[in-house]
Amino acid sequence: MSWGTELWDQFDNLEKHTQWGIEYVDKYTKFVKERSEIEISYAKQIRNLSKKYQPKKNSKEEEESKYTFCRAFLTSLNELNDYAGQHEVIAENLTSQIITDLTRYLQELKAERKSHFHDGRKAQQQLESSWKQLESCKKKFERDCKEADRAQQHFERMDADINVTKADVEKARQQAQVRHQMAADSKNDYHSYLQKFNQEQHEHYYTVIPNIFQNLQDMEEKRIERLGVCMKTFAEVDRQVLPIVGKCLDGMTSAAEGIEPKTDSNQVVESYKSGFEPPGDVEFEDYGQAMKRTVSENSLSNSRESKEKPAGKSKSKLWPFIKNKNKLMSLLTSPRQPPPAPPASSPPLPSAVPNDPQSPKQPKEPLSHRLNDFMASKPKMHCLRSLRRGLSLKLGSVPEDFSHLPPEQRRKKLQGKIDELKKDIQKEMDQRDALTKMKDVYVKNPQMGDPASVDPRLAEIAMNIEKLQSEEQKFENWLAEVEERMPSKSETHRKSVIYETQNSTVSNNCAQDRESPDGSYTEEQSAETQVKAVANRTSCAPESDDEFDELETIGTCKALYTFEGQNEGTISVTEGELLYVIEEDKGDGWTRVRRNEEEEGYVPTSYIEVLLETNAKDS
């Protein structure tokens, strides 16, 4: 059905309908624009969500990357980020393929509609103008006919009147003829205008208006077709990203399926094992058998028994602990100067000789029994690990050599650091090779560039490589020390549970980290070096998961000379005084001793003579 034939008299309604169609296109354009804004907002929220739960750039990220479920979640977050990107693609395609296209088409549609209705109004105005001319001719013809009738009637009255002269009659006759001629001319004009109007009207209603309405109909059909294409594109934009969205979802599924509980549980072992072997069996102590004691042991037991207090409920300890912060700081602050030489004029006391007959012999309980009573009577405090971490936090940094970690974990950290440095060195070397080739090209073809312009960068890379290699050598040295100090797998026999534990956790790990008083310390050390030294000494403290008590006594000693402990970490002793040995000399010339439950510190090894070391270890 055609608008031109069926709606020839609905010009105004068609004008309203086409205007409504344009408004509908504008309405759909706004709908797509809002959909695009929703997609952008949704993609932004999804990206923010993915970013919010991404692991932070710190040491925790490295820990999380060890576990399959953490890696799976990280993969899901990355896939979700890509999923958000597909919604951004939807928004971009909606804007480029629909919104922009419809906005441009809407302007063209408005212009085309305006042109068609302008032609239609112009045709109507022409028809109305012709109609007015026809009416004018018709009225003139009617008026001339009436005038001719009046002139004819006047002539007939004049001709019938005998009193009128012949000249008047002739004049009336001529007037009537003129009026009749004018009426005839008006009739002819009216007839011609009537034909012309009918022709224009026919052309208007059968040609001009149908053509204009047909153009409007074509325009409306194109508008509807264009709107349908946009609606189809609206769906296709979503369909185009479905394969990629499916891949994102498949990636999430694959990541979830890749979670391995056994691997994660084994990784816990790899992450937290210390490298130490479990303590050996506790030896049987026969209280019914008479024990032979030396003079020094008896004298020590008298001194010890006079100071012992009733012990509460006995509880054996397998790891060395410290009682309070004062003793912790004593542990951390060893003397920083070489030990003084022993006085040449003071001979060793006769009583210093083991098993001397002059020493009184008194009964003494086994050392392990006294140790259990002694440890059971001590109050307990927070874990040394927490205290050490708190001190490291106050100092503001973690030791560069990872000395705060157990041997196995420290070895892994050092090895990882060495691998990173090797990668950095390789990158720098690759850049150096590339710049060297570029310089050779410049030398052969000076027009391509100045060879001297590459030299500063080559010098900088050489310095970087040298610095990185120095760092690598430093970490390799630390790694070699750790591997040398790690216990052998074949070592199954331990002399004493507590003694061996103390040696492995305190002595072996702290010997290389503690600022030994062998002359290496100088007053010109920077604050940073001092901070590192304190942190290293903190890190070498024995770790425990629950609590700690005092360090195990590994023997006794007797002072050969009087020593005034004036430096921090030392203890004053008098000649002939008996003391407990709690840490043997590690090669720095100092031995750590204890006077009583509250006093302990370092004394020069040359100023003392160690007693009962073998018996203490055996017991």
Side-chain angles (χ1 to χ4, degrees):
M1 299 178 69
S2 175
W3 286 10
T5 57
E6 301 294 336
L7 303 176
W8 60 271
D9 57 345
Q10 298 297 322
F11 186 88
D12 294 337
N13 288 332
L14 289 180
E15 185 177 15
K16 293 178 181 179
H17 177 76
T18 52
Q19 178 62 31
W20 173 80
I22 291 177
E23 292 175 354
Y24 198 88
V25 173
D26 185 58
K27 176 182 177 181
Y28 184 76
T29 305
K30 292 180 179 178
F31 160 74
V32 179
K33 187 178 296 184
E34 290 185 8
R35 164 71 190 281
S36 177
E37 292 174 354
I38 290 174
E39 292 291 341
I40 293 176
S41 176
Y42 178 69
K44 183 179 179 180
Q45 293 180 10
I46 291 295
R47 284 193 183 277
N48 291 339
L49 179 64
S50 176
K51 183 178 179 181
K52 177 181 178 181
Y53 285 92
Q54 287 282 349
K56 305 301 180 184
K57 298 297 181 182
N58 52 24
S59 58
K60 190 64 177 177
E61 178 184 6
E62 182 179 355
E63 296 295 328
E64 291 182 357
S65 62
K66 296 178 182 179
Y67 303 101
T68 58
F69 66 90
C70 293
R71 294 198 296 268
F73 182 54
L74 180 60
T75 302
S76 299
L77 291 177
N78 294 333
E79 295 292 348
L80 189 63
N81 192 60
D82 296 339
Y83 177 81
Q86 297 310 308
H87 284 276
E88 291 177 348
V89 171
I90 291 176
E92 292 175 359
N93 291 340
L94 289 176
T95 302
S96 61
Q97 299 181 20
I98 298 180
I99 298 175
T100 304
D101 186 56
L102 278 184
T103 302
R104 184 177 59 253
Y105 175 70
L106 198 59
Q107 300 299 325
E108 297 175 356
L109 189 64
K110 290 179 180 179
E112 183 179 0
R113 174 184 174 278
K114 183 178 180 180
S115 175
H116 291 324
F117 280 101
H118 177 72
D119 294 339
R121 290 191 183 91
K122 185 177 179 179
Q124 284 185 339
Q125 289 176 359
Q126 290 179 354
L127 183 62
E128 290 175 358
S129 177
S130 297
W131 172 257
K132 289 179 180 179
Q133 290 180 358
L134 177 62
E135 287 293 323
S136 178
C137 291
K138 180 180 178 182
K139 290 179 179 179
K140 186 175 181 299
F141 172 60
E142 182 181 4
R143 187 171 58 253
D144 290 343
C145 288
K146 290 180 179 180
E147 291 293 333
D149 289 341
R150 283 197 297 270
Q152 183 65 30
Q153 292 176 2
H154 179 70
F155 168 70
E156 290 177 352
R157 284 196 305 270
M158 293 291 287
D159 188 41
D161 190 358
I162 57 176
N163 296 323
V164 178
T165 61
K166 189 176 181 180
D168 293 333
V169 173
E170 185 63 24
K171 183 179 180 180
R173 185 180 65 79
Q174 292 179 356
Q175 186 68 27
Q177 289 178 352
V178 170
R179 291 294 179 185
H180 281 293
Q181 185 63 37
M182 291 176 64
D185 294 339
S186 298
K187 181 180 179 180
N188 292 333
D189 291 341
Y190 170 67
H191 184 267
S192 62
Y193 271 104
L194 180 60
Q195 290 180 345
K196 181 181 178 182
F197 173 77
N198 289 333
Q199 183 179 359
E200 290 180 356
Q201 180 177 256
H202 185 274
E203 184 178 359
H204 175 82
Y205 286 111
Y206 288 95
T207 304
V208 177
I209 291 298
N211 289 338
I212 293 174
F213 282 9
Q214 185 62 42
N215 292 334
L216 288 172
Q217 183 177 1
D218 295 340
M219 179 194 73
E220 184 70 8
E221 291 175 355
K222 289 180 181 179
R223 177 189 68 81
I224 297 172
E225 181 181 2
R226 192 66 166 269
L227 202 58
V229 171
C230 291
M231 290 181 180
K232 183 178 179 181
T233 305
F234 183 84
E236 289 297 328
V237 165
D238 270 353
R239 185 175 285 110
Q240 288 172 0
V241 302
L242 286 180
I244 303 179
V245 170
K247 290 182 180 179
C248 295
L249 299 177
D250 292 341
M252 296 181 187
T253 303
S254 300
E257 293 175 351
I259 296 177
E260 299 177 358
K262 291 292 184 182
T263 303
D264 290 346
S265 62
N266 293 336
Q267 186 59 48
V268 175
V269 177
E270 293 295 327
S271 298
Y272 297 109
K273 69 178 181 179
S274 64
F276 300 126
E277 293 186 4
D281 296 337
V282 178
E283 297 182 1
F284 174 75
E285 298 182 4
D286 191 356
Y287 290 92
Q289 182 179 358
M291 299 182 64
K292 297 181 179 180
R293 297 174 175 83
T294 62
V295 176
S296 298
E297 289 179 13
N298 293 334
S299 61
L300 175 62
S301 64
N302 290 336
S303 174
R304 175 77 176 193
E305 289 170 356
S306 62
K307 298 181 181 180
E308 280 185 350
K309 298 179 180 180
K313 184 178 180 180
S314 177
K315 181 178 180 181
S316 60
K317 306 289 183 180
L318 296 182
W319 294 87
F321 301 107
I322 298 176
K323 178 181 178 184
N324 52 35
K325 294 184 178 179
N326 294 330
K327 295 185 179 181
L328 172 63
M329 296 309 298
S330 176
L331 172 65
L332 297 179
T333 56
S334 62
R336 299 180 177 229
Q337 296 180 0
S345 60
S346 300
L349 297 178
S351 60
V353 181
N355 302 325
D356 192 273
Q358 299 178 5
S359 302
K361 295 184 179 181
Q362 297 179 4
K364 171 174 149 327
E365 296 179 356
L367 289 177
S368 60
H369 181 68
R370 295 203 312 274
L371 173 65
N372 291 336
D373 294 341
F374 178 73
M375 296 177 65
S377 63
K378 303 301 170 189
K380 300 175 182 178
M381 62 180 300
H382 294 294
C383 177
L384 180 60
R385 179 186 303 171
S386 302
L387 191 58
R388 186 194 68 238
R389 290 178 180 173
L391 181 57
S392 299
L393 183 59
K394 291 180 180 178
L395 295 175
S397 62
V398 177
E400 186 182 9
D401 57 353
F402 305 105
S403 56
H404 62 292
L405 298 175
E408 181 68 22
Q409 304 307 319
R410 184 185 180 195
R411 183 187 65 79
K412 291 182 180 180
K413 288 287 185 180
L414 291 174
Q415 186 62 51
K417 188 68 176 180
I418 292 173
D419 295 339
E420 292 179 3
L421 290 172
K422 287 182 178 179
K423 292 181 181 179
D424 295 339
I425 292 174
Q426 186 61 42
K427 290 181 181 178
E428 295 291 338
M429 288 183 174
D430 294 341
Q431 293 184 12
R432 182 188 62 185
D433 296 341
L435 289 175
T436 303
K437 293 180 181 179
M438 183 184 298
K439 183 177 180 179
D440 294 339
V441 173
Y442 287 168
V443 171
K444 295 179 181 178
N445 302 299
Q447 68 275 9
M448 297 184 65
D450 183 12
S453 63
V454 187
D455 292 338
R457 179 58 180 163
L458 285 174
E460 181 183 355
I461 291 178
M463 292 178 61
N464 293 341
I465 292 177
E466 183 178 357
K467 183 178 178 181
L468 290 173
Q469 288 177 345
S470 175
E471 288 287 323
E472 180 188 8
Q473 184 62 37
K474 179 174 64 174
F475 280 96
E476 285 180 350
N477 292 338
W478 283 334
L479 181 61
E481 293 178 4
V482 172
E483 291 177 347
E484 288 177 1
R485 287 175 170 79
M486 288 185 64
S488 175
K489 294 294 183 180
S490 61
E491 184 181 359
T492 57
H493 176 70
R494 294 177 180 267
K495 296 180 180 181
S496 172
V497 175
I498 302 177
Y499 175 67
E500 290 296 327
T501 303
Q502 182 232 347
N503 285 343
S504 59
T505 58
V506 180
S507 302
N508 291 348
N509 289 341
C510 296
Q512 69 273 22
D513 297 333
R514 174 167 53 86
E515 280 288 342
S516 64
D518 56 357
S520 60
Y521 174 85
T522 62
E523 293 299 331
E524 297 176 355
Q525 281 183 318
S526 63
E528 180 181 357
T529 306
Q530 295 177 11
V531 169
K532 286 185 178 180
V534 176
N536 289 340
R537 290 196 299 274
T538 306
S539 65
C540 70
E543 294 192 14
S544 174
D545 292 335
D546 298 319
E547 56 194 10
F548 58 86
D549 244 324
E550 293 189 1
L551 291 175
E552 171 61 36
T553 300
I554 61 175
T556 59
C557 67
K558 187 170 186 177
L560 303 179
Y561 315 102
T562 300
F563 172 70
E564 298 293 338
Q566 298 179 355
N567 297 331
E568 184 180 6
T570 61
I571 184 173
S572 300
V573 296
T574 59
E575 183 179 353
E577 183 178 2
L578 289 175
L579 303 166
Y580 296 98
V581 178
I582 58 176
E583 182 179 340
E584 61 184 354
D585 187 358
K586 300 302 178 182
D588 53 10
W590 295 86
T591 301
R592 190 167 174 222
V593 299
R594 178 187 296 137
R595 174 175 287 109
N596 51 38
E597 298 177 3
E598 300 295 335
E599 295 184 55
E600 61 183 40
Y602 289 92
V603 297
T605 305
S606 59
Y607 276 57
I608 62 173
E609 181 176 359
V610 178
L611 306 173
L612 300 178
E613 183 177 6
T614 303
N615 293 337
K617 291 180 181 179
D618 293 341
S619 62

